[in-house]
Amino acid sequence: MDGSVRQSVLDSDAELPFDPDAVTIEDRDVFALLEPAVQQWWLEAFGEYIPENEGFFTPPQRGAIPKIHEGTNTLICAPTGSGKTLASFTSILNALFTTDRDSEDGLENSVYCLYISPLKSLANDIHRNLEVPLEGIEDIVASRDDDEEMGEIRHAIRHGDTSSSDRQKMLEETPHILNTTPETLAILLNSPKFREKLRTVEYVIVDEIHSLADGKRGTHLSVSLERLEAMAEGEITRIGCSATVDPLEEVAEFLVGQATPGGDARPYDIVDARFAREFDIELECPTDDLINTSREVVQERFYRQLHDHIQAHTNTLVFTNTRSGAERVLHTLRERFDAYDEGNSGCHHGSLSKDVRQDIEGRLKDGDLEVVTTSTSLELGIDMPHVDMVIQVGSPKSVAALLQRVGRAGHRVGQTVTGRVIALDRDELLECAVMLKKADEGFVDSVSIPENAQDVAAQHVYGMAIAEIRPEADLKATLKRAYPYRNYTDAEYESLMRYLTAEYAGLEDRNVYAKIWRDENDPPDGEHHHEAFPVGEPLIGKRGRLARVIYMTNIGTIPDSFTCDVSTRASDEWVGQLDENYLDTLEKGDVFVLGGDHFEYRYRRGSKVYVDRTSARPTVPSWYSERLPLSVDLGREILTFQAALLDHYEAGGPPRVRAWLREFPLDDDSVRAIARLFDHQLQYAGPESVSTHDRLAIEVVRDREEYERHYYVHSAYGRRVNDGLSRLFAYHCAQQATANVRVAVADNGFVLSMPLNRKVDLKGLIDDLEADDVREDLRQAISGTDLLQRYFRINATRALMILKRYKGYEKSASEQQVSSEMLLGFAEELEEFAVIEETYREILEDKLTVGEIEQLVGALEAGDLDVSRQLHDSPTPRAFGLATLSASDVVLAEDESAALQAFHEHVLEEIGDESVRGLATGTGDE
C-alpha cells in the first residue's frame, strides 16, 4: 500500500483486516481511488468477510471501479452475487461525495445518477442496499473531529407504482440517485418539469442488461439513453451490469450507442469476470431407466432427492420451468414430508399477487424460508444472501439461464456456488448433460438484438416531437445513434414518416390521425417558425392538443394479453379459457387439451376461440407458451455432442460411451441412461438416424390407427428455429400434397403429419429449397394467420395506431384485438406500411429466427448439411418425445407412459429381429 493510502487509513483510525504489505497492487490502486470515508466504510462493511489469501475486492470490483472512476463507459459481466452492482455504485458515491464536499454549494437539486432496472423488485432492492453505504459514509464523516462536512446524497425510486404525491416531492427535493425502469425513464424524458432535472445526469447504470438487450424493451431503452445524452449538459458515463452474456462486444455497443449516427460505437471497456466464482454443478437423474421405471417410483425418488438436498442446506431455491410446476413441487413436498409448512416454505411466480410475492421475497432475503419454489420470477432481482443451494428441475434451456439461476446461491465473497439439475425425461437429460459440460468449459449462449423496430421508433419520434420543435436532422441522428438503429435506412425512415404524418389515404377515416408535422417553412395552426433554426431547415413538431396526454398514457413495449373464451362450433358450448399467449402456438387443425377433453382448433374471432371436439391425440402440449425455448447455440452444441458420441460408440460401443460421459458433470444414473438411449437408437436405426452438425435426420412413420403419416424431423436447433423451419416445410408440403399439414414443434425437432393417402417427397422438397426464397416463403406461410393478427395488434398498439387509453377510457386487450382485426386488412393493402412491415419483421426475425433458417437452407444447398431419410413402423427412441408431445399435461400422464412403453417394447423387439436391421441403412419405400 503506498504512503497516501496508508495515511488515509491511519487518519480514519481503522483497523485493517489484512496485512497492507500483502495486498496485491491491484487492490492498492483501487483502494487509493476512494475518499477516506469511503475507504473506511468498505473496511468496516467487508473486512470480516475476506477469506485468507483472497483479495480485498472481488474481480469485477477490481476491474470496474478504476474504469468508472475515470469516466469510462464500462460493461461489467460477472456471476450473480459477485459484487458488480456495488462496484458501479462505489465509484459514483465516491464522486458524488467529492463533488458535494468540494463544490461551494454542494450538489444541485437534480439527478446525477440513473439506475435502470428491468424489474420493479430489483429497483426496490437496490434502493434498500444504497441506504447502507450512504448512511455508513455519512456517519463516518459526522463522527470525525475535523471540520469536514457531508451534505445529504439523496436517493429515491420511481416507477409505475410511485404515488403522485411522491412524484411531486421529487420535483421539490430531487434525488441525486434515481432508481427507475425503462418505461418510467421514457415518461420522464417527456415530463416538462422533471426532464430539466435530468440535464445534470453524469452516470447511467443499466442492470441485468442481458435481459433487456434481446427484446423491444431494450430497443426502447437504447433510444431513451440517446435522448438523455442529447439533452445532458456533459457526457454521460454508461455502466452495464450483466451475469452471463455473449458476445460481450455487441452488448457493450448496445449499451454505449454510436458516437455518430450509423458510425462507430462510443469508446468502452469490458470487465469480463463471468467465471470469477467457483461453481459446483451436477446433473442428477432419479433412475438410469426412465422408460421402464414406473412414474410413481421416479416421482418418489425425485422428491426424496429434493428433500435430502433441502435438509443438507440452509436455504434452497428450486426453479421449475412453469408456474404450475412450481406450485406442484411445493404442494407435493408439503404433502410427502412433515418438514415443510407455510412457515418455512413458499412459492413465488408472476401469477401471484404483489403482496404474496413481496412477503416471500422478504422472508427469503432474511433467511426465514428453508425452501422456495419458483419459475423464472426469482431469476433476476433481490439479493438472497442466505441461499446456499439452487436446484433446477428440468432443463433451463440455455447455459446463460442455468448460470443465472444457480448463481442465486453462495452470495458471500469466496463462497462456492452450489447447484443441482434434476432431469426427469431422456430428452432433457441429454440436453442438460451438454449444457452442464459447456458451462464447465466457459461457453455462453449469444443474445440477438432486434434491429430497426418501427413501432418503437414511432413512439420515440412522436415523443421527441412532443418534447419540443426540433430540426428533423437532429431527431433522425438521435435515433440512429442508438445501436438497434445504426443500420436504419432512409427508406425505412420515410416509411415511418408516412405513417406518422397520416400520408396514406383512408387512415384518418379509420381514426388513425397524424401525430407529427414536417415542414421547411411555417408550422401549421398559425405558429411562427422557430427562431432558433434557419429558415428552410426541415423541422418536426407534434400535432393535436392531446398529443402529450396520449403519449404519456400509451407508451411502453410490454404487450397486454388476455384470456380467450373457448366454445364449440357445433353448439356454441363454452368449454373453458385459453391464455392468449398459447394461441401463438395454434394453427387450424391443431389438437390441445382443455379440462381433460381434446379439442381441434378451428379459428378465432376477437377474444373468442372456436373448436371441435375430437378423439385425436394432442399436437401442442399445455406448457408450450410458458416454457423457455432452447437456445440456438446450445442446440448446435447438442448436434456436435451427438456426432462425438457416435464416434465413441463406433470405437468401443456402450462401454466407451459411458467412459466418455463420466468426464461430464453427471451422476452415474444419468451416464447410464444416456448411454442406453443411444445404444437402443443405434441398434434400431443405425447412425444415419441421428442428427449431427452435418446431417439432418428425418424418419417417416405410418400410423395406421390414426390413418396418418408422420415425418419426424430431428432438427435440434431449438424451438424458435424449429417453429420457423416447420412452417417453411409445411408450406411447401401443403402445396405439393394439396392437403392440410399439421405441425407439432419441440426443442429437439418437429413433426409434420398428413393423411395416409397423401404423401410428399420431403427429402426432394428440402433439396429444392433456396436460401434466397426463405424469407418470402415464410412471409407467405404466416400471411392470414392468427399469429399475424396478434402481432399486428401488439405492434399497432406500440406504434400508437391503436390507443390503449384515451380520454379516461381504457381499452382492454380483447378490444384492442377487435380494433386491429378491422385495421389489418386495410393496412395490408397500403404500400410499405411501417406497422405491417414491422409485424412481419418481428415474426420472421425475432420469433422465427429467419436468419438461422436461411443459413440452414444455405448449408443444404451447398452440400454442407446432408439429409437422411428412414422409414419405420414405430418412432425411434430419439423420436419418443416428439411422438408424445402432450407429455406435460398432467391429465395425460398415464397415457403418455403407456405410449412410451409401447414404443420402447417395439424397439426392443425389433433390435432382436435381424430382418428389420435393413432399416438401419435407410432402405425402404414409402
Side-chain angles (χ1 to χ4, degrees):
M1 186 177 288
D2 64 30
S4 63
V5 175
R6 185 188 300 274
Q7 187 61 45
S8 70
V9 173
L10 291 175
D11 289 344
S12 69
D13 295 326
E15 291 187 15
L16 297 183
F18 55 85
D19 177 1
D21 296 324
V23 176
T24 63
I25 186 66
E26 292 89 348
D27 279 0
R28 295 177 200 165
D29 293 342
V30 175
F31 203 72
L33 299 174
L34 307 180
E35 290 292 317
V38 182
Q39 290 177 343
Q40 185 172 339
W41 177 80
W42 264 88
L43 295 173
E44 291 178 359
F46 298 107
E48 64 186 283
Y49 297 125
I50 300 175
E52 192 173 348
N53 300 324
E54 289 283 344
F56 183 61
F57 297 100
T58 65
Q61 291 166 350
R62 191 178 303 120
I65 290 174
K67 297 182 189 302
I68 300 169
H69 180 82
E70 295 166 1
T72 302
N73 297 318
T74 306
L75 175 65
I76 311 169
C77 196
T80 304
S82 57
K84 55 185 177 292
T85 308
L86 183 59
S88 305
F89 276 122
T90 295
S91 291
I92 295 169
L93 290 176
N94 195 67
L96 292 181
F97 172 68
T98 305
T99 302
D100 178 69
R101 181 195 60 199
D102 296 345
S103 174
E104 188 173 316
D105 298 321
L107 296 173
E108 295 182 38
N109 188 38
S110 59
V111 180
Y112 286 81
C113 171
L114 277 173
Y115 168 84
I116 299 167
S117 159
L119 299 174
K120 293 177 186 177
S121 61
L122 183 53
N124 286 324
D125 199 54
I126 295 298
H127 179 68
R128 287 191 295 267
N129 290 340
L130 262 176
E131 292 173 1
V132 175
L134 277 173
E135 290 177 1
I137 294 167
E138 288 170 4
D139 290 345
I140 289 169
V141 173
S143 67
R144 292 181 171 170
D145 296 330
D146 53 31
D147 295 329
E148 186 175 25
E149 292 184 2
M150 178 179 176
E152 181 186 15
I153 297 177
R154 296 186 295 272
H155 62 106
I157 184 167
R158 181 161 175 169
H159 48 52
D161 294 338
T162 305
S163 68
S164 58
S165 60
D166 285 342
R167 293 199 297 268
Q168 184 61 36
K169 288 177 185 175
M170 290 181 196
L171 282 172
E172 299 162 4
E173 196 172 63
T174 305
H176 303 117
I177 301 173
L178 180 63
N179 297 350
T180 190
T181 61
E183 291 73 23
T184 299
L185 173 60
I187 291 173
L188 295 178
L189 289 169
N190 268 73
S191 301
K193 294 179 181 178
F194 201 92
R195 73 191 303 263
E196 296 303 314
K197 304 285 189 179
L198 298 176
R199 295 190 187 276
T200 54
V201 168
E202 297 177 2
Y203 302 94
V204 171
I205 302 171
V206 182
D207 208 352
E208 306 290 3
I209 192 171
H210 62 282
S211 71
L212 291 168
D214 65 352
K216 288 191 176 180
R217 287 186 82 198
T219 302
H220 201 277
L221 173 62
S222 68
V223 183
S224 290
L225 293 180
E226 292 307 324
R227 292 176 61 185
L228 179 67
E229 187 90 36
M231 62 183 274
E233 294 169 355
E235 290 188 5
I236 297 174
T237 301
R238 305 190 194 191
I239 303 135
C241 297
S242 178
T244 46
V245 70
D246 196 76
L248 292 179
E249 291 76 12
E250 185 174 4
V251 176
E253 291 186 12
F254 167 81
L255 169 70
V256 302
Q258 315 304 113
T260 57
D264 294 333
R266 293 185 178 91
Y268 63 84
D269 275 345
I270 295 173
V271 176
D272 183 7
R274 286 175 292 182
F275 307 101
R277 300 176 72 194
E278 290 294 323
F279 283 84
D280 172 15
I281 311 176
E282 186 177 71
L283 175 62
E284 297 180 351
C285 187
T287 174
D288 65 354
D289 188 347
L290 285 164
I291 300 293
N292 287 320
T293 307
S294 71
R295 180 173 295 274
E296 291 73 20
V297 171
V298 170
Q299 291 291 305
E300 174 61 37
R301 292 180 183 176
F302 161 65
Y303 281 104
R304 173 55 61 181
Q305 282 178 301
L306 200 56
H307 173 68
D308 289 346
H309 284 308
I310 295 167
Q311 293 304 305
H313 293 85
T314 306
N315 294 102
T316 300
L317 198 56
V318 180
F319 283 97
T320 66
N321 287 329
T322 62
R323 295 171 181 182
S324 59
E327 296 273 11
R328 188 165 58 249
V329 168
L330 178 64
H331 173 77
T332 309
L333 276 174
R334 289 176 175 175
E335 196 174 61
R336 288 177 182 248
F337 303 102
D338 294 335
Y340 310 107
D341 55 33
E342 292 185 0
N344 65 2
S345 61
C347 183
H348 187 289
H349 58 69
S351 295
L352 296 171
S353 71
K354 175 184 171 183
D355 290 343
V356 170
R357 293 198 309 271
Q358 288 184 342
D359 176 63
I360 294 294
E361 289 166 13
R363 293 162 67 196
L364 187 58
K365 189 178 180 71
D366 294 339
D368 295 337
L369 294 172
E370 289 185 24
V371 57
V372 171
T373 63
T374 182
S375 52
T376 59
S377 56
L378 288 177
E379 188 174 298
L380 308 176
I382 65 167
D383 183 32
M384 297 173 279
H386 301 283
V387 172
D388 55 351
M389 165 61 89
V390 170
I391 296 172
Q392 167 68 47
V393 181
S395 171
K397 300 298 177 181
S398 71
V399 172
L402 171 72
L403 296 179
Q404 179 75 36
R405 293 177 182 184
V406 173
R408 306 307 293 166
H411 273 211
R412 299 193 187 277
V413 176
Q415 209 171 1
T416 296
V417 180
T418 305
R420 294 293 178 265
V421 180
I422 304 177
L424 299 174
D425 74 57
R426 299 197 300 181
D427 289 335
E428 287 205 329
L429 191 62
L430 171 63
E431 195 175 292
C432 292
V434 178
M435 186 186 306
L436 267 66
K437 180 65 171 175
K438 299 310 295 184
D440 191 50
E441 295 173 356
F443 168 92
V444 180
D445 320 83
S446 60
V447 299
S448 178
I449 299 173
E451 293 191 12
N452 304 335
Q454 292 282 46
D455 50 353
V456 175
Q459 277 194 33
H460 275 294
V461 169
Y462 192 27
M464 286 188 273
I466 290 169
E468 58 188 332
I469 295 172
R470 66 182 72 214
E472 185 170 1
D474 289 355
L475 180 148
K476 188 176 179 182
T478 299
L479 190 63
K480 291 194 68 172
R481 275 195 290 266
Y483 179 82
Y485 295 96
R486 68 198 182 283
N487 298 320
Y488 199 52
T489 66
D490 289 343
E492 288 168 316
Y493 178 78
E494 287 303 321
S495 173
L496 179 68
M497 289 298 110
R498 288 199 299 276
Y499 157 62
L500 289 174
T501 57
E503 184 179 309
Y504 297 96
L507 265 187
E508 294 194 351
D509 295 337
R510 290 163 176 81
N511 298 320
V512 180
Y513 298 101
K515 294 172 176 58
I516 64 170
W517 53 258
R518 307 167 78 186
D519 205 327
E520 292 188 1
N521 299 299
D522 292 328
D525 302 325
E527 296 180 30
H528 294 293
H529 197 290
H530 203 294
E531 295 178 0
F533 309 111
V535 174
E537 181 168 3
L539 301 182
I540 280 187
K542 68 175 176 67
R543 278 192 184 275
R545 295 190 307 272
L546 296 176
R548 187 180 302 279
V549 174
I550 289 172
Y551 179 79
M552 301 290 260
T553 55
N554 285 278
I555 62 172
T557 60
I558 301 173
D560 293 336
S561 62
F562 59 97
T563 55
C564 297
D565 287 321
V566 181
S567 298
T568 58
R569 282 196 308 168
S571 58
D572 201 28
E573 174 196 359
W574 184 87
V575 294
Q577 292 183 317
L578 286 178
D579 188 282
E580 189 201 21
N581 293 326
Y582 188 64
L583 295 178
D584 273 1
T585 67
L586 296 179
E587 296 291 336
K588 182 179 179 181
D590 278 337
V591 178
F592 61 94
V593 178
L594 185 61
D597 293 326
H598 297 194
F599 297 98
E600 181 181 347
Y601 176 71
R602 304 306 300 174
Y603 59 88
R604 168 184 175 179
R605 291 289 180 270
S607 60
K608 196 166 182 178
V609 170
Y610 290 92
V611 299
D612 291 335
R613 292 186 180 275
T614 181
S615 59
R617 62 188 175 200
T619 60
V620 183
S622 63
W623 49 257
Y624 192 99
S625 64
E626 192 178 352
R627 191 179 296 181
L628 293 172
L630 180 74
S631 78
V632 178
D633 293 336
L634 187 58
R636 292 187 183 278
E637 293 298 331
I638 290 171
L639 292 169
T640 300
F641 165 87
Q642 291 185 168
L645 187 145
L646 293 180
D647 291 341
H648 285 287
Y649 190 90
E650 184 179 359
R656 176 71 175 266
V657 170
R658 287 195 296 271
W660 174 59
L661 288 174
R662 288 194 174 97
E663 300 172 9
F664 289 54
L666 318 177
D667 70 355
D668 205 47
D669 280 339
S670 301
V671 167
R672 290 198 298 270
I674 294 172
R676 179 181 288 114
L677 165 64
F678 279 94
D679 184 35
H680 290 165
Q681 176 76 23
L682 295 173
Q683 285 194 63
Y684 181 59
E688 293 295 312
S689 68
V690 178
S691 287
T692 64
H693 57 284
D694 57 9
R695 178 172 59 234
L696 177 64
I698 300 172
E699 59 186 85
V700 187
V701 176
R702 289 175 293 202
D703 186 338
R704 301 192 185 281
E705 287 186 14
E706 297 285 338
Y707 199 68
E708 284 187 319
R709 180 179 282 102
H710 304 296
Y711 297 85
Y712 296 103
V713 182
H714 294 275
S715 51
Y717 300 106
R719 202 182 332 145
R720 288 199 292 185
V721 172
N722 288 339
D723 193 354
L725 194 62
S726 66
R727 289 173 189 268
L728 180 68
F729 285 9
Y731 173 70
H732 285 283
C733 283
Q735 288 184 322
Q736 190 178 108
T738 61
N740 286 334
V741 179
R742 285 196 297 105
V743 179
V745 180
D747 283 309
N748 62 332
F750 57 89
V751 189
L752 303 178
S753 302
M754 63 184 66
L756 202 54
N757 62 355
R758 302 292 178 93
K759 68 177 182 178
V760 298
D761 177 13
L762 186 57
K763 187 176 185 304
L765 180 152
I766 293 172
D767 289 340
D768 290 340
L769 292 175
E770 295 182 11
D772 291 343
D773 297 335
V774 166
R775 187 176 293 262
E776 184 57 33
D777 285 349
L778 274 175
R779 182 169 176 137
Q780 292 297 323
I782 62 177
S783 178
T785 62
D786 289 341
L787 181 69
L788 182 73
Q789 283 192 358
R790 176 167 183 256
Y791 273 80
F792 175 73
R793 183 203 89 217
I794 291 170
N795 286 309
T797 306
R798 284 200 195 109
L800 310 182
M801 186 178 179
I802 297 170
L803 299 180
K804 293 188 286 188
R805 300 172 187 89
Y806 184 65
K807 292 186 175 179
Y809 179 76
E810 184 157 350
K811 186 178 287 189
S812 69
S814 59
E815 290 173 317
Q816 295 167 32
Q817 183 66 33
V818 172
S819 298
S820 74
E821 288 174 9
M822 291 189 294
L823 284 170
L824 177 58
F826 167 75
E828 281 203 282
E829 296 300 316
L830 301 177
E831 183 180 358
E832 296 295 317
F833 187 60
V835 182
I836 285 289
E837 293 306 312
E838 172 56 23
T839 302
Y840 277 107
R841 187 213 63 78
E842 181 173 2
I843 295 173
L844 293 176
E845 294 182 8
D846 303 345
K847 179 175 173 58
L848 304 182
T849 59
V850 67
E852 296 286 345
I853 297 168
E854 288 171 331
Q855 285 185 31
L856 285 172
V857 174
L860 288 165
E861 280 188 281
D864 297 329
L865 182 64
D866 293 328
V867 177
S868 164
R869 183 195 61 81
Q870 296 184 346
L871 175 66
H872 297 290
D873 291 328
S874 181
T876 69
R878 287 294 285 130
F880 285 3
L882 292 175
T884 57
L885 268 177
S886 59
S888 291
D889 287 297
V890 176
V891 79
L892 296 176
E894 292 183 5
D895 293 345
E896 184 229 345
S897 294
L900 286 174
Q901 192 68 39
F903 292 152
H904 185 61
E905 288 174 1
H906 180 85
V907 167
L908 295 182
E909 181 182 336
E910 295 295 312
I911 285 173
D913 186 349
E914 290 299 322
S915 65
V916 186
R917 299 300 279 274
L919 292 174
T921 65
T923 59
D925 210 9
E926 290 188 36

